[in-house]
Amino acid sequence: MKGFGWLAIGIFSTASLWLLAPGAAQPLAEIPVSIIVAGSPEEAQRVLEQLRRGEDFASLAKSKSLDPSASEGGYLGKVDPGNLRTELRDAVKGLTPGQISGIVRIPSGYAILKVLRNPGGPPLPDASPVKAQALSSSGAVRLTYDYSGFASALAAVGKYEKPDGWNRDLRQACEVRVQSVAGVLEQLQALLQRPNPPAGFLRDLNGLLADLHAYRGDMDDAIRYQQAAYEAAVVNSPDRVPQLEESLGVAYLHRAGRVLYPAFIFPRPMRSGTIGEAQREDLKKAAEHFLRYLQRDPNDGEVRWLLNLSYLLSGQYPGGVPKEYLIAPGLLESKEDVGHFADVAQAAGLNRRGQAGGAIIDDFDNDGLFDVVVSSVNDCEPLSYYHGNRDGTFSNRTAEAGLANVTGGLNIIQTDYNNDGCKDILVLRGGWEYARPKSLLRNNCDGTFKDVTAESGLLDAVTATQTAVWADIDNDGKLDLFVGNENAASQLYWNRGDGTFVDIAGPAGVGQTGFTKGVVAADYDGDGYVDFYVSSLNGDHHLYRNNHDRTFTDVTREAGVQGPWASFGAWFFDYDNDGWPDLFIADYGTSVADVMSGFLKKTQGGEKLRLFKNLGNGTFRDATAEAGLDRSMMPMGLNFGDIDNDGFLDFYLGSGNPSYASLIPNLLFHNQAGKRFVDVTASSGTGILPKGHGVAFADLDGDGDEDLFVVMGGAVPGDEQTARLFENPGNENNWISVRLAGVKSNRSAIGARIKVTVRNQEAEPRAIYRTVGSGGSFGASPFEQHIGLGKDARIESLEIWWPASQSRQNFSGVATNQFLEIQEFGKEYRKLERPTFRLGGPRRPPQPPGPSRK
């Protein structure tokens, strides 16, 4: 690798910005600013060179920028520099009217800013507040710094000399990921030997070395270099000391946490006897650094939470926490008890350890039992395929399935794209990083898979993505594929029916460009054709209404579902059982301080998630506040299921971002009869602390209630974590499980709708609705639909609507607490026999129909 030398710090200017203290924003005069956002550092460099040659900023913004402001020539309006995100504030610092900044890494790409002499016209009426939310620190909201080295490692990849086509070859992508960081570390360490470094150079150089060692998980070295950076700052940069104080605390906390997190369940303090001496010492040092930080800024919510967490992990909470910084235990407890979900992943053989990744639970070999597939964002790590045994355990059959050489994949989803009755796998790669190929793995119906990406046509365009959805857009019985990309146009692959696809996104009207983080499908208007919703991070959202001719119309504003500006995953679900699919959109404001304000019952200043209630007339109403969900939560993985079989859908959020400081507990919410959601994280025992990604609900033990599987791990190799499998404690409510098989409709029955009319005791009949799919947009539950019915339930009718045939089936006299299979056009249903066992334990005899027991 070449080209570092004394320029190393400049090359990593983006990474080093994370080391700067936020400081107190001083009131400054508003200045007119424009922005260009490119999708890669190389493209940003080309644009910067064009600007330096005198080309017009607004023209280049219109033709090159990926930001929603492109249509206005990149104009953001007048902004207060003191309220900008830290990296952008530093970029415009010192610029005079007419000057442009260097290249700045932001979540949606690589930005270049210009301070204008003349705005060139009045700002759009609604542009300033919306875009200010995306670019600002939201006043009192302090963004969480990247203490994981994620940004630095991406910068290393960007500067590494790579062979042509490297990102299409997963083996080469793995090598680049590893060797680029190793090469930069070697160069930076050599710089330590240079004589007479400039003022502040050693501080930043040691900080960058700490950054990259933290990325790799070399926490001993990371702490050593971070300490050197801290000592240098004490001498010549006192304004940097608070930031480096926190960074040292986070480093010690992370070193201890990698050992302790698997045993920690929020908000229960660890037992003293389970904590090793090394971890106890690290937690003590972490607390010391956090306390010194809080002496300077006692109101910092992020550091206050990290201090309390240090005491929780050391078993000294709450008594050991200084009273002025204590987060009272009552603020962390649940207001409702849903029973304790025990983690049985290790006993069941599902304790996969790795980085962030996706999860699928479904029956891949048609033996009547669910299997589990897990992916990893790491290009060097293969898929893991766990076959479900008949005794509550799983066997790793990755090699036997032919998947040992299929690596990478931040997210995965199942499908049956060729209607052969065997479920296939789609692997999505490149999210948050750089473009890489997708993989379509065809199930050979014998327990093995074949990579058919090239022959299917899905290899033609290589993009960065983590989100896609399968849906039959024209009711021809074949599943089509919508892929949402980051800083590239979305793709809509129409299924030709011969094993190949063609991208029709442009003519279909859905080829928007943005930093897409979620795509979901549902027939929101009940016209018999599937529609799409697309969420973006710091960009416009899109609700696409199906025109019945393979084209779509954007009706976002008319429908009232613009969504939070800073968004992540999403899903359609009927949370209130009124027969209309409602829309959930996750927020993604990367502020631990703001999230913790929600726990402390304080006002949150950042972005909040949205729950939009479908009104049945083509429009939605924002029901977030009335449902008790008006909180900032920072979710990553997310999915929904019915944890207590009451017929109302609950949901689970895996929290966090790459930073080692982002230690927000994963959250479980219980649906109270379609009216409100209540946080039951603490009472359920599902509040695991490290990053949560792929989330899936499924009845894995055949006892009639849904268990919860969560893929754990962060974005960097130093943040590997162990997956969790939470066994449902059971309840007294009834249930029915329905597996559908299409004939004219697609074989997996994706998009088919189920209506169960049930009577509970002497109450009036009520309807429960489900639509076949894998659930949320980060984690895939089975296509088989598990439907809770409530206590003492009697099914009055079971109705199925099929999308391609537009036909209906209606069954009466259906008993509860059984597994059924229903084929399109069939006159009868078939009862499926399933073994019942304890997850991770010895097999036990099947239970008679009745309330779920454990």
Side-chain angles (χ1 to χ4, degrees):
M1 185 170 52
K2 303 174 182 177
F4 284 92
W6 283 100
L7 297 177
I9 299 298
I11 289 170
F12 287 93
S13 58
T14 299
S16 60
L17 280 172
W18 291 108
L19 298 173
L20 302 181
Q26 301 297 320
L28 300 173
E30 291 186 338
I31 56 174
V33 175
S34 288
I35 192 170
I36 295 174
V37 179
S40 69
E42 292 81 9
E43 176 63 19
Q45 186 62 43
R46 286 192 288 270
V47 171
L48 185 60
E49 290 170 358
Q50 289 176 275
L51 291 169
R52 288 171 175 168
R53 290 196 299 266
E55 295 192 34
D56 181 63
F57 193 100
S59 298
L60 283 172
K62 289 180 179 179
S63 62
K64 302 288 187 181
S65 181
L66 303 176
D67 190 76
S69 64
S71 59
E72 290 88 49
Y75 182 52
L76 298 174
K78 291 185 177 181
V79 299
D80 179 350
N83 287 333
L84 284 174
R85 293 173 58 101
T86 303
E87 61 268 42
L88 297 178
R89 183 170 71 237
D90 286 351
V92 299
K93 187 184 300 182
L95 293 184
T96 59
Q99 289 187 321
I100 59 175
S101 72
I103 298 170
V104 183
R105 178 76 167 98
I106 61 175
S108 56
Y110 298 83
I112 303 169
L113 296 99
K114 180 177 182 178
V115 177
L116 305 183
R117 292 191 177 92
N118 186 316
L124 297 176
D126 62 348
S128 295
V130 175
K131 290 168 185 170
Q133 176 71 30
L135 296 173
S136 77
S137 58
S138 301
V141 175
R142 177 164 82 83
L143 300 180
T144 297
Y145 284 82
D146 175 23
Y147 293 116
S148 69
F150 178 74
S152 298
L154 278 185
V157 170
K159 296 303 296 184
Y160 188 76
E161 293 183 3
K162 303 175 285 289
D164 292 341
W166 69 276
N167 62 333
R168 288 178 171 267
D169 184 318
L170 296 177
R171 181 185 56 80
Q172 288 188 355
C174 167
E175 292 176 357
V176 167
R177 183 189 290 271
V178 174
Q179 294 174 6
S180 59
V181 172
V184 173
L185 278 170
E186 182 180 346
Q187 293 284 335
L188 293 176
Q189 287 162 349
L191 290 178
L192 285 176
Q193 310 306 316
R194 295 289 184 94
N196 304 318
F201 179 83
L202 283 178
R203 178 201 63 222
D204 289 346
L205 179 57
N206 278 290
L208 288 171
L209 282 163
D211 225 23
L212 291 170
H213 279 291
Y215 167 83
R216 299 203 307 185
D218 305 330
M219 295 311 298
D220 294 350
D221 288 329
I223 289 171
R224 178 164 56 89
Y225 286 116
Q226 199 69 275
Q227 181 68 36
Y230 175 79
E231 292 171 358
V234 169
V235 174
N236 58 35
S237 307
D239 59 318
R240 304 284 182 90
V241 170
Q243 172 65 38
L244 292 168
E245 195 87 70
E246 182 185 2
S247 69
L248 271 169
V250 170
Y252 282 113
L253 178 59
H254 184 70
R255 188 164 70 177
R258 288 198 299 179
V259 176
L260 298 177
Y261 292 153
F264 175 70
I265 298 293
F266 170 87
R268 303 174 184 176
M270 295 279 290
R271 294 193 303 273
S272 180
T274 64
I275 306 165
E277 188 57 39
Q279 288 74 50
R280 194 184 307 277
E281 186 62 27
D282 277 348
L283 293 171
K284 179 182 177 182
K285 291 178 179 177
E288 290 172 352
H289 285 290
F290 295 144
L291 282 169
R292 281 200 289 267
Y293 183 104
L294 288 169
Q295 287 169 2
R296 298 183 181 93
D297 185 0
N299 297 315
D300 190 297
E302 175 174 302
V303 178
R304 183 183 174 192
W305 160 241
L306 294 175
L307 175 69
N308 279 261
L309 178 58
S310 299
Y311 284 101
L312 278 162
L313 289 169
S314 66
Q316 300 178 64
Y317 174 91
V321 185
K323 291 183 179 180
E324 63 270 31
Y325 305 129
L326 175 66
I327 297 176
L331 295 172
L332 307 178
E333 296 294 339
S334 298
K335 300 298 185 287
E336 181 183 359
D337 188 357
V338 295
H340 180 74
F341 287 65
D343 178 13
V344 296
Q346 182 171 358
L350 285 177
N351 56 330
R352 170 266 192 191
R353 187 171 178 85
Q355 291 178 233
I360 304 172
I361 297 180
D362 219 317
D363 183 0
F364 284 97
D365 54 0
N366 291 332
D367 65 351
L369 298 174
F370 290 132
D371 311 300
V372 180
V373 184
V374 178
S375 67
S376 171
V377 68
N378 191 335
D379 290 322
C380 306
E381 188 172 349
L383 295 184
S384 296
Y385 175 76
Y386 298 96
H387 176 262
N389 303 321
R390 292 182 173 270
D391 60 358
T393 66
F394 294 80
S395 299
N396 191 327
R397 295 190 181 175
T398 305
E400 295 90 326
L403 299 175
N405 294 320
V406 181
T407 58
L410 183 53
N411 199 11
I412 49 177
I413 50 176
Q414 78 273 42
T415 182
D416 182 1
Y417 78 96
N418 56 357
N419 284 331
D420 64 355
C422 301
K423 294 178 182 65
D424 316 297
I425 299 172
L426 178 71
V427 184
L428 303 167
R429 300 185 179 91
W432 301 106
E433 297 183 335
Y434 40 84
R436 297 208 281 303
K438 298 174 279 289
S439 290
L440 180 61
L441 308 174
R442 187 187 68 205
N443 192 330
N444 296 321
C445 297
D446 61 358
T448 67
F449 294 82
K450 179 183 178 183
D451 191 328
V452 295
T453 316
E455 62 193 69
S456 70
L458 297 185
L459 191 60
D460 293 346
V462 175
T463 58
T465 182
Q466 66 179 45
T467 183
V469 66
W470 294 90
D472 183 358
I473 64 170
D474 51 3
N475 288 339
D476 66 353
K478 299 183 291 293
L479 288 171
D480 312 298
L481 175 63
F482 192 117
V483 180
N485 294 308
E486 297 175 2
N487 295 330
S490 290
Q491 298 157 313
L492 178 57
Y493 288 102
W494 181 68
N495 190 335
R496 291 188 174 107
D498 59 358
T500 67
F501 297 81
V502 58
D503 185 1
I504 62 169
V510 297
Q512 90 292 331
T513 294
F515 204 80
T516 304
K517 301 309 294 180
V519 291
V520 289
D523 179 9
Y524 83 94
D525 55 0
D527 66 354
Y529 283 79
V530 69
D531 313 293
F532 293 112
Y533 189 82
V534 180
S535 67
S536 298
L537 180 67
N538 299 341
D540 293 328
H541 295 222
H542 304 274
L543 176 63
Y544 291 116
R545 186 186 64 210
N546 195 321
N547 298 325
H548 308 179
D549 59 0
R550 298 182 196 158
T551 70
F552 294 79
T553 299
D554 190 331
V555 295
T556 314
R557 291 188 179 275
E558 300 94 308
V561 288
Q562 290 89 330
W565 183 257
S567 300
F568 198 72
W571 63 60
F572 282 104
F573 70 160
D574 187 356
Y575 79 93
D576 54 0
N577 279 326
D578 66 353
W580 294 97
D582 310 298
L583 181 59
F584 177 98
I585 309 165
D587 63 304
Y588 193 67
T590 56
S591 172
V592 171
D594 199 42
V595 174
M596 292 316 300
S597 292
F599 281 96
L600 298 174
K601 315 302 180 189
K602 294 183 178 180
T603 301
Q604 292 177 297
E607 194 68 271
K608 297 178 176 64
L609 61 79
R610 297 289 192 280
L611 177 66
F612 290 109
K613 176 178 169 56
N614 192 330
L615 300 180
N617 60 1
T619 67
F620 294 75
R621 175 173 58 81
D622 189 336
T624 312
E626 69 188 58
L629 293 176
D630 52 339
R631 284 171 56 183
S632 299
M633 300 186 196
M634 204 193 300
M636 299 284 290
L638 65 175
N639 216 328
F640 57 85
D642 184 354
I643 61 173
D644 58 350
N645 284 340
D646 66 351
F648 292 94
L649 290 167
D650 317 298
F651 64 85
Y652 188 79
L653 305 177
S655 302
N657 68 18
S659 175
Y660 291 159
S662 291
L663 294 168
I664 303 300
N666 293 357
L667 301 171
L668 179 63
F669 284 84
H670 179 236
N671 186 338
Q672 295 183 322
K675 296 180 174 59
R676 287 183 63 81
F677 290 85
V678 61
D679 185 341
V680 294
T681 306
S683 66
S684 65
T686 59
I688 43 184
L689 195 60
K691 317 301 188 301
H693 285 85
V695 175
F697 288 86
D699 182 4
L700 285 170
D701 48 8
D703 67 350
D705 50 46
E706 289 190 294
D707 308 296
L708 171 63
F709 179 71
V710 189
V711 175
M712 305 299 296
V716 302
D719 205 7
E720 289 189 348
Q721 301 292 342
T722 304
R724 309 297 181 88
L725 173 58
F726 291 105
E727 186 177 22
N728 195 310
N731 52 77
E732 297 181 351
N733 292 332
N734 300 112
W735 53 274
I736 193 81
S737 188
V738 182
R739 172 178 289 187
L740 300 180
V743 176
K744 183 175 181 180
S745 300
N746 69 88
R747 182 70 175 269
S748 292
I750 292 176
R753 299 198 291 263
I754 302 171
K755 176 184 177 182
V756 184
T757 302
V758 64
R759 186 187 293 271
N760 300 101
Q761 297 177 324
E762 302 304 319
E764 290 296 312
R766 64 180 177 123
I768 301 169
Y769 297 88
R770 296 290 184 271
T771 300
V772 176
S774 60
S777 56
F778 207 138
S781 299
F783 291 148
E784 181 176 307
Q785 295 297 296
H786 178 93
I787 305 170
L789 304 174
K791 190 174 182 179
D792 298 326
R794 184 174 75 252
I795 296 175
E796 297 200 340
S797 67
L798 173 62
E799 184 176 337
I800 316 295
W801 175 87
W802 295 89
S805 62
Q806 303 279 303
S807 63
R808 295 182 186 274
Q809 296 163 292
N810 201 314
F811 301 95
S812 58
V814 178
T816 62
N817 303 333
Q818 59 178 335
F819 301 91
L820 305 180
E821 183 177 71
I822 300 174
Q823 190 177 75
E824 189 175 11
F825 307 123
K827 302 299 183 183
E828 298 179 349
Y829 58 82
R830 182 167 73 96
K831 182 178 179 180
L832 302 174
E833 298 298 330
R834 293 275 176 82
T836 302
F837 36 74
R838 183 174 297 278
L839 284 172
R843 181 175 176 177
R844 59 186 180 182
Q847 299 179 36
S852 174
R853 303 181 182 89
K854 284 199 186 275

